[in-house]
Amino acid sequence: MAEQHGKPAGHTLEAYLASHGVSRRSFLQYCTAVAATLGLPLGMAEKVAAAVGGDNRPSVLWLHFQECTGDTEALLRASRPTAAEVILDYLSVDYHETLMAAAGHQVEAVRNATMAKGGYIAVVEGAIPTGRDGAYCCIGGHSALDIAREVCGNAAATICVGTCSAYGGIQAAYPNPTGAVGVGELLPHIPLINLPGCPLNTSNLTATIVHYLTFGSLPRMDAHKRPLFAYGKRIHDNCERRGHFDAGQYTETWGDEGHRQGWCLYKMGCKGPATFHNCPTVRYNDGLGWPVAQGHGCVGCSEPQFWDSMGPIYERLPNVPGFGVETSATKVGLGLVAAAAAGVAVHGVAKTLQLRFSREDEES
Ligand code: SF4
Ligand code: F3S
């Protein structure tokens, strides 16, 4: 992405992939995988490949507000270029404060010119402080509040990367001294999608953009404006430690035998049963790991206001059906009765949680 301005005009995606050591075969494999990730019917991979490789690259304006730049870091962490990363690189990212070499009035002019053309995608990293008329975060003499209104308000689509731009993140945690909000709260009626997580999983950003390029629209979302392909299932549903949860095998203290054996982290405060994200399947760091695989419970970072609603981090969730079901025959029976009464399978989470996190699908 850093070399965006050096790309020759008319450079095809195929040539661009080749120049980065990504073969056509790898690209097609990626298109097949992303089509599957997006839940598209078999045979759609070719349409995806044609759309991504076409000459319809939208301009991207990437904005930074109240944040730690962790999402940009996630974007840059790949140890080797994959088709996904090269596709992101291939996009015409006209404005990105962390990555662009130019500065000052020059880049402000680029941003304004892109906006004047229209049809661009705004990617937002960071929360927007609304207190004191936006004075807590200013860039180039303008408040984040005004920049978000202008850039996102006129974008073809806005993609909020990371939990801060989606829901305010830690800046919005009680007592929220700067009045931080996510973009969707500030601008509830713009075309917008949230890709929360701390940090964003870049694979989900690429898949969202691929969907946009292929269909000209954002993917189907849940009530929190998260794409269903990435946030449609609980962490707990796909967790590699799930067998231990069902078997009543729990880590009781950090470093105990259960922890060393990779047993379930529910008792250590894991919020996986109440968190919707595809971390166990997509994973981070080139697919090498994700929090639970590394031995720490999920803290629920992709849920709205998780700093206030999911804590304390190391206290376990209220009772979850299936918790310890195999520790005794009595508990197995009680668990089954409770599950039947709740109308859910014994593998399901507590009815209270189910109600709390029940979602309405929205067609984008
Ligand atoms: Fe995995 Fe956490 Fe569920 Fe245990 S409670 S199975 S560690 S998601
Ligand atoms: Fe966040 Fe939990 Fe995934 S902490 S990164 S949603 S495992």
Side-chain angles (χ1 to χ4, degrees), residues 284-329:
Y284 284 82
N285 298 331
D286 294 346
L288 283 177
W290 63 292
V292 170
Q294 312 316 130
H296 194 284
C298 168
V299 301
C301 77
S302 57
E303 293 302 317
Q305 317 310 331
F306 81 96
W307 289 102
D308 292 333
S309 64
M310 288 292 197
I313 286 175
Y314 296 110
E315 279 185 22
R316 72 177 170 93
L317 288 164
N319 208 18
V320 173
F323 167 54
V325 290
E326 292 182 16
T327 53
S328 76

Side-chain angles (χ1 to χ4, degrees), residues 161-287:
V161 295
T163 301
C164 299
S165 59
Y167 309 125
I170 194 167
Q171 294 75 226
Y174 179 83
N176 192 358
T178 65
V181 297
V183 181
E185 188 174 337
L186 180 72
L187 300 165
H189 304 301
I190 63 171
L192 173 146
I193 192 164
N194 290 325
L195 302 178
C198 199
L200 153 86
N201 192 314
T202 310
S203 300
N204 293 336
L205 173 61
T206 317
T208 300
I209 290 174
V210 166
H211 187 285
Y212 188 82
L213 292 176
T214 307
F215 300 105
S217 64
L218 296 170
R220 293 174 63 223
M221 295 175 238
D222 68 8
H224 300 302
K225 291 193 179 285
R226 300 176 293 193
L228 290 170
F229 76 82
Y231 301 86
K233 289 203 162 46
R234 294 174 178 87
I235 296 281
H236 193 59
D237 295 336
N238 290 314
C239 179
E240 60 217 43
R241 298 183 188 230
R242 178 58 186 268
H244 296 296
F245 176 91
D246 292 340
Q249 295 174 318
Y250 301 99
T251 297
E252 303 282 346
T253 57
W254 298 117
D256 68 6
E257 185 58 21
H259 196 213
R260 285 197 290 275
Q261 295 292 331
W263 288 3
C264 174
L265 298 163
Y266 172 67
K267 286 188 176 180
M268 305 307 291
C270 180
K271 306 301 187 293
T275 302
F276 293 83
H277 206 175
N278 57 359
C279 308
T281 49
V282 173
R283 304 160 79 92
Y284 284 82
N285 298 331
D286 294 346

